[in-house]
Amino acid sequence: FLTIHSGTRGMYMPWAYDMEHLAKRNQPEMMEILRTIDKNHCQCPFGAAGREVGYSCPGTCLDWVYDELKTDYAFAFEIFVDRAQDADLKARWEEKMTSEPSFLQFGRDLAHEHFRDVFESHPSCFVQLKQQHHKHRSHFDCFTNFNPTDADQYKETVENWSGAYLDMAAMIAKNLKANKTATTEV
């Protein structure tokens, strides 16, 4: 299962409903898929949604599909932010990750003070600071934050993220085949 959003860049897996729990079923496999896709397609925040965004997101389709339908792999991708914000977001993200490369792996989340300046400069619907007031923006400014505005940007976004989807599908198929073979051999 994959749900697609825009307005920032990030890749998430269950759980979103709280900031403490990680998905148990296929958790290492899902995290490895996100890590691999991040290197080739995103260079952005990734991991358990609630933990990474720094606040609880109860009632998401991500959690429902994973929990109720027992879908083995469930992801939410944030795939677009306008170019002006994207370049600065990527530069700041890389700076944060290289200044403390395993920061997120030690139980920190995107709401941690370490990332505050990133989200002060790049407000997100998923990572919000208490004092942030979302300014009323023009319709065009809003549109450009969530959508490509020219053919080249559209093509680049579609090619990158369709490649990410195909990579993800291939990794999942490989994992499912390996699990089926392992189960059959037992």
Side-chain angles (χ1 to χ4, degrees), residues 128-154:
Q128 298 178 5
L129 304 174
K130 288 183 180 179
Q131 83 282 2
Q132 268 181 344
H133 298 276
H134 291 281
K135 298 178 269 182
H136 183 70
R137 299 178 348 179
S138 74
H139 295 304
F140 183 76
D141 287 343
C142 184
F143 180 86
T144 61
N145 192 64
F146 293 92
N147 302 281
T149 56
D150 61 53
D152 289 340
Q153 193 177 36
Y154 175 80

Side-chain angles (χ1 to χ4, degrees), residues 116-133:
R116 181 177 203 75
D117 62 321
V118 172
F119 294 107
E120 282 176 345
S121 299
H122 304 283
S124 164
C125 292
F126 287 94
V127 182
Q128 298 178 5
L129 304 174
K130 288 183 180 179
Q131 83 282 2
Q132 268 181 344
H133 298 276

Side-chain angles (χ1 to χ4, degrees), residues 59-185:
T60 65
C61 62
L62 176 69
D63 288 355
W64 189 84
V65 166
Y66 183 76
D67 189 40
E68 293 295 320
L69 298 182
K70 306 298 183 215
T71 302
D72 289 329
Y73 295 88
F75 300 102
F77 288 1
E78 286 277 356
I79 66 167
F80 184 83
V81 68
D82 74 73
R83 283 185 179 148
Q85 291 185 31
D86 189 53
D88 190 43
L89 176 63
K90 185 175 179 179
R92 286 174 166 232
W93 178 252
E94 288 174 350
E95 177 186 322
K96 294 293 181 186
M97 293 308 289
T98 56
S99 69
E100 198 166 340
S102 56
F103 192 79
L104 293 175
Q105 296 173 4
F106 289 112
R108 304 304 201 295
D109 58 55
L110 296 176
H112 190 274
E113 191 65 29
H114 185 73
F115 294 103
R116 181 177 203 75
D117 62 321
V118 172
F119 294 107
E120 282 176 345
S121 299
H122 304 283
S124 164
C125 292
F126 287 94
V127 182
Q128 298 178 5
L129 304 174
K130 288 183 180 179
Q131 83 282 2
Q132 268 181 344
H133 298 276
H134 291 281
K135 298 178 269 182
H136 183 70
R137 299 178 348 179
S138 74
H139 295 304
F140 183 76
D141 287 343
C142 184
F143 180 86
T144 61
N145 192 64
F146 293 92
N147 302 281
T149 56
D150 61 53
D152 289 340
Q153 193 177 36
Y154 175 80
K155 183 179 177 183
E156 178 184 312
T157 302
V158 170
E159 286 178 359
N160 180 59
W161 289 101
S162 58
Y165 175 75
L166 292 172
D167 290 350
M168 179 188 73
M171 287 183 272
I172 290 170
K174 181 180 175 185
N175 289 349
L176 292 173
K177 185 177 180 181
N179 288 342
K180 184 177 181 180
T181 302
T183 304
T184 304
E185 292 175 357

